[in-house]
Amino acid sequence: MTDSTEIIPTFTRVALVTRPDGRADWEETPIALTEGKPQARLSPLMPTGGYQFRHSPVGFRSDFHCTGHPQWLFVLSGAMEIGLQDGRKRVFRAGEGFWSADVLPEGATFDPALHGHCSRQLGDEPLVTLFVRE
């Protein structure tokens, strides 16, 4: 429980989502850290459906694709660049992550000029990531 005078900290959930027009975009929403103690605030417990680790060698890059299953992606080592169809790019480094939920719209056929995102490993260190499904 929190004291009524306490300011509740938040964690910013960076999310890669699919807009109504089918294009991927970034969205940021706060998650209130309402659990725990004032010295160590936690979010409410969230369900998970399993996790996977991935190792991507130096030089890794992907073509445009959609996320198969909404999931958290955390960079454990190295750096990863995510590119959107409109040319915007965002870099995630070790210790950073995002909610990846740019799934193909229901009933759509994948169009690599419209849907999804691309990714690539940056720098001279392999990219190690952790995927956590909801």
Side-chain angles (χ1 to χ4, degrees):
M1 296 297 291
T2 61
D3 159 330
S4 63
T5 62
E6 180 184 356
I7 295 174
I8 303 299
T10 60
F11 170 82
T12 300
R13 181 181 90 155
V14 175
L16 181 59
V17 299
T18 303
R19 296 189 320 221
D21 66 1
R23 293 191 180 274
D25 202 357
W26 294 108
E27 176 180 282
E28 295 186 7
T29 55
I31 295 174
L33 304 180
T34 57
E35 308 293 317
K37 299 178 181 181
Q39 300 85 353
R41 283 285 172 212
L42 300 165
S43 72
L45 189 61
M46 299 176 194
T48 59
Y51 61 93
Q52 292 179 296
F53 293 95
R54 182 176 77 184
H55 178 276
S56 301
V58 172
F60 164 81
R61 69 177 45 244
S62 74
D63 292 328
F64 278 92
H65 63 281
C66 289
T67 298
H69 302 277
Q71 59 194 342
W72 282 99
L73 183 151
F74 297 100
V75 176
L76 301 179
S77 63
M80 176 182 212
E81 179 183 82
I82 302 294
L84 303 183
Q85 293 285 353
D86 64 8
R88 286 182 293 155
K89 296 177 181 169
R90 195 162 184 166
V91 175
F92 295 87
R93 301 185 189 292
E96 298 177 325
F98 63 95
W99 176 247
S100 184
D102 69 324
V103 296
L104 187 63
E106 190 173 328
T109 300
F110 180 74
D111 178 350
L114 173 68
H115 300 116
H117 65 280
C118 62
S119 61
R120 70 182 180 120
Q121 171 276 338
L122 295 176
D124 58 2
E125 181 180 3
L127 174 64
V128 178
T129 51
L130 169 65
F131 295 92
V132 181
R133 287 194 187 171
E134 184 175 69

